[in-house]
Amino acid sequence: MLQTENIYIFLIILPVVSFLYSSVGHGGASGYLALMALFSFAPESMKPTALLLNLFVAGISFYYYYKEGHFNKKLFISFAMASIPLAFIGGMIEIDASIYKKILAVLLIFAILKMLNVFGKESTSIKDVKLWQGLLVGGIIGFFSGLIGIGGGIILTPIILLLHWGNMKEAAAVSALFIWVNSASGLIGQFSIGVTLEKASFLLVAIALIGGVLGGYYGSKKINNQNLQYILAFVLLIACAKLFFT
């Protein structure tokens, strides 16, 4: 993994990505996967590495959002009941590398739109999530989270905001824990079929945590990093194009 060409540039960008994602309550897997795709990491190492990074960065992000009182337990449970077992099932499934890249590229579009604040508007009228809605949304996102190696927060947050199920901070806090449980479940699914983690993955964790801690702290309070988000959106767009056409 660390023998990848231009690895030092990757290691410099990695904490910036974790900072931006954790500041909005996300683990950053879609960003890590996009970077790994740009730097031509081996496809078989991308999924477990992204899930591992998610565990630590999303965990830190959740801690800060929870500490500030933004966590809505009822909202989280409504999604997690179905997402956790389906993330495990998704983690057990290995798909063709070309199909994997196309699905990841589609999911990166959600990340790009989130970074451009397309889903950034809150509603003053908050609605309750019906049980069937939580199971359906959580289950679908959970399955693709395990299948691709993301936590699903980049999809869940926009849905919460669009359907007025919570405000911005609540969506971030719920998404952070949602990402954590799905990443853990998906990673266990990977281990169950014999997938192992490279030792270098833990070095990436240490580097990503630098940005994750800072992002979670400032994001749970107040931070304006719009220009950096635009830059990240551009990087994700390049990765998305590479995944589609290679």
Side-chain angles (χ1 to χ4, degrees), residues 153-203:
I154 207 69
I155 304 172
L156 181 63
T157 297
I159 291 175
I160 290 175
L161 295 175
L162 285 170
L163 298 179
H164 307 157
W165 288 338
N167 60 39
M168 189 81 72
K169 297 293 187 183
E170 284 179 334
V174 167
S175 292
L177 188 56
F178 182 80
I179 290 166
W180 195 94
V181 297
N182 287 338
S183 297
S185 183
L187 198 54
I188 293 170
Q190 285 273 279
F191 292 155
S192 73
I193 59 172
V195 173
T196 58
L197 287 164
E198 295 183 36
K199 291 181 180 179
S201 300
F202 294 95
L203 172 61

Side-chain angles (χ1 to χ4, degrees), residues 29-30 33 43 46-48 50-51 87 90-91 93 95-96 99-105 107-108 141-151 155 190:
S30 57
L33 289 169
M46 290 169 59
K47 181 174 170 178
L51 288 171
I93 300 173
I95 58 176
D96 180 78
I99 298 175
Y100 176 87
K101 289 179 179 180
K102 300 301 183 291
I103 297 175
L104 175 58
L107 294 178
L108 280 181
I141 297 176
F143 176 74
F144 279 102
S145 296
L147 184 69
I148 302 302
I150 62 174
I155 304 172
Q190 285 273 279

Side-chain angles (χ1 to χ4, degrees), residues 180-244:
W180 195 94
V181 297
N182 287 338
S183 297
S185 183
L187 198 54
I188 293 170
Q190 285 273 279
F191 292 155
S192 73
I193 59 172
V195 173
T196 58
L197 287 164
E198 295 183 36
K199 291 181 180 179
S201 300
F202 294 95
L203 172 61
L204 300 186
V205 166
I207 293 171
L209 274 177
I210 297 171
V213 170
L214 292 173
Y217 175 78
Y218 288 108
S220 65
K221 298 177 183 297
K222 186 177 181 180
I223 186 171
N224 184 2
N225 51 21
Q226 193 58 63
N227 289 335
L228 288 174
Q229 288 189 32
Y230 287 148
I231 294 171
L232 179 56
F234 179 69
V235 172
L236 294 178
L237 186 61
I238 294 173
C240 189
K242 181 177 180 181
L243 288 164
F244 264 124

